[in-house]
């Protein structure tokens, strides 16, 4: 969401924050919204908890460290007694 807007001659600068997951979509829409003249600069600012909607989930791509046997097998190749 835009938080500040400044006009300098024929340039308008909008500043604000957006979830990282939405930056790519904004980048894709910018040429159509600005007739090809818009530029986007972004940088990571901070981590923040999800406050609305569903919490994103991602399946594990490695072994579960809470499962001792599975974790030891993946790290050392063996399970110790």
């Amino acid at each position: 969401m835009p938080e500040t807007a400044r006009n300098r001659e024929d340039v308008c600068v909008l500043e604000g924050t957006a979830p990282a997951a939405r930056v790519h979509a904004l980048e894709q829409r910018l040429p159509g919204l600005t007739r090809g003249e818009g530029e986007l600069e972004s940088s990571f600012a901070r981590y923040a908890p999800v406050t609305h909607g569903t919490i994103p989930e991602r399946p594990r791509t490695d072994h579960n460290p809470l499962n001792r046997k599975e974790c030891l097998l993946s790290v050392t190749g063996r399970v110790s007694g």
Side-chain angles (χ1 to χ4, degrees):
M1 298 293 291
E3 294 169 0
T4 63
R6 296 188 312 265
N7 290 317
R8 284 185 260 149
E9 297 177 18
D10 60 344
V11 175
C12 179
V13 177
L14 299 174
E15 293 181 357
T17 57
R22 300 244 175 130
V23 173
H24 182 70
L26 175 58
E27 201 169 37
Q28 297 297 307
R29 292 190 60 203
L30 194 61
L33 296 171
T34 64
R35 298 183 185 145
E37 296 184 12
E39 294 182 24
L40 175 67
E41 288 184 26
S42 64
S43 63
F44 181 80
R46 63 187 170 89
Y47 288 100
V50 174
T51 57
H52 60 282
T54 58
I55 297 173
E57 289 187 13
R58 182 178 69 167
R60 291 193 70 91
T61 58
D62 60 353
H63 302 285
N64 183 356
L66 300 177
N67 182 328
R68 180 174 169 78
K69 182 178 178 180
E70 185 179 286
C71 189
L72 287 173
L73 278 172
S74 70
V75 174
T76 64
R78 60 187 173 84
V79 178
S80 61

